[in-house]
Amino acid sequence: MSSIELLQAAIAHERKLLLHHPLYAKINNLHDLQAFTEGHVYAVWDFMSLLKALQVQLTCTSIPWFASSMPNTRYLINEIVLAEESDVYIDGSRLSHYEMYLDAMSTMGANTDSITNFVHLAASSTDIFAVIEATAIDQRIKDFLRFTFTIIQNGKAHQIAAAFTFGREDLIPDMFTSILKELQAKSPAVDMSKFIYYFQRHIDLDGDEHGPLAMQMIVELAGDDPQKWQEMQDTAIQALHFRAKLWDAIADRVS
């Protein structure tokens, strides 16, 4: 087996647990979906911090400009940033996926005050850990966020890439779109089209573009270094652990 296949085999059990998490079966009505989004949105937001950390490390974001050392990796990072930060929305406008998510939440009547207040504080503070600690959210969501920013703060590009690649949105099964469409049929007065669009867009991008690009990045960053492969595996397992705890926190809020 190749190094990437060995890593994927090592995390297969944790991935399976997440893809079959009981949370999905608990989302049966609009209130459940609103509760889901109010917790999940923190993962949507912090995903962008992982991505931007990779952009800072693997491309040139400083002045004067110089060519970074990994042309294939800088290409794929910039490709992912373009879509995640400036994608085409359902109405033809350009928005980040986080902004799309917030708009979809608002349209469905979910509460966005907690996340918007959190992001406002994070933008005006130099200590993201203090902001996380001071925010009135479930401890498991705090732990999830702390893990993300600890990995970023440690500054190892291959570990950031592992958390980004193996602990993120492809952990939501394709069946979730079917669940959303069923909920829309049950609640025709509530427009869920923006939320369905968001998830379908993620499925399309992850399967056709971002997933394969991220795997290429993993291989290029680790190379033939067994220590990097081991650190990537350890980080991926931790990322899956904290994602599962996030799902547990959301499941406890869903009726």
Side-chain angles (χ1 to χ4, degrees):
M1 295 175 72
S2 67
S3 295
I4 190 70
E5 288 171 333
L6 287 170
L7 192 160
Q8 289 173 317
I11 67 174
H13 178 66
E14 286 79 7
R15 279 185 54 82
K16 183 178 179 180
L17 290 176
L18 272 164
L19 288 168
H20 296 88
H21 195 283
L23 167 63
Y24 303 112
K26 296 183 72 174
I27 302 174
N28 295 308
N29 54 52
L30 177 61
H31 176 75
D32 296 338
L33 184 60
Q34 290 168 340
F36 170 82
T37 64
E38 288 163 13
H40 177 233
V41 67
Y42 286 91
V44 175
W45 175 79
D46 92 328
F47 171 86
M48 286 303 300
S49 292
L50 284 168
L51 177 57
K52 299 303 281 188
L54 288 171
Q55 188 179 35
V56 168
Q57 291 221 23
L58 301 175
T59 75
C60 181
T61 58
S62 60
I63 298 171
W65 177 88
F66 61 91
S68 59
S69 61
M70 296 181 174
N72 290 332
T73 296
R74 71 179 182 238
Y75 163 77
L76 66 91
I77 287 296
N78 285 329
E79 279 288 304
I80 295 173
V81 168
L82 177 64
E84 294 289 342
E85 199 168 35
S86 308
D87 203 5
V88 178
Y89 196 28
I90 192 170
D91 61 1
S93 62
R94 290 280 178 182
L95 292 175
S96 69
H97 284 199
Y98 167 71
E99 291 168 309
M100 290 181 189
Y101 201 96
L102 277 185
D103 186 57
M105 286 178 68
S106 296
T107 301
M108 294 188 303
N111 190 328
T112 61
D113 291 344
S114 177
I115 183 64
T116 53
N117 290 337
F118 171 81
V119 172
H120 176 75
L121 289 173
S124 59
S125 174
T126 57
D127 188 347
I128 183 61
F129 296 100
V131 173
I132 293 169
E133 188 57 37
T135 301
I137 50 177
D138 190 289
Q139 188 64 42
R140 291 164 291 186
I141 300 177
K142 291 184 181 183
D143 291 342
F144 174 85
L145 293 168
R146 268 195 293 264
F147 169 74
T148 294
F149 286 96
T150 298
I151 291 294
I152 291 171
Q153 188 178 69
N154 289 344
K156 292 185 176 182
H158 62 285
Q159 288 184 301
I160 299 170
F164 174 85
T165 301
F166 299 110
R168 315 316 294 182
E169 293 312 274
D170 68 336
L171 295 169
I172 296 178
D174 292 353
M175 70 167 186
F176 193 63
T177 303
S178 298
I179 293 174
L180 295 178
K181 290 178 179 178
E182 290 174 10
L183 291 180
Q184 177 69 92
K186 291 180 183 177
S187 306
V190 180
D191 183 6
M192 299 182 190
S193 61
K194 292 179 177 179
F195 201 60
I196 294 170
Y197 176 87
Y198 167 88
F199 273 100
Q200 190 58 53
R201 186 67 179 142
H202 254 286
I203 290 167
D204 294 343
L205 286 172
D206 285 342
D208 298 338
E209 300 176 40
H210 293 181
L213 289 174
M215 289 301 175
Q216 292 175 36
M217 172 178 62
I218 289 292
V219 172
E220 185 161 318
L221 287 175
D224 297 322
D225 187 331
Q227 181 176 342
K228 285 185 176 179
W229 280 109
Q230 185 60 53
E231 289 179 347
M232 281 186 167
Q233 178 179 309
D234 293 343
T235 300
I237 290 172
Q238 284 183 293
L240 293 167
H241 167 78
F242 284 106
R243 181 65 175 238
K245 293 299 182 183
L246 172 71
W247 259 204
D248 291 345
I250 297 171
D252 287 347
R253 288 195 60 207
V254 174
S255 60

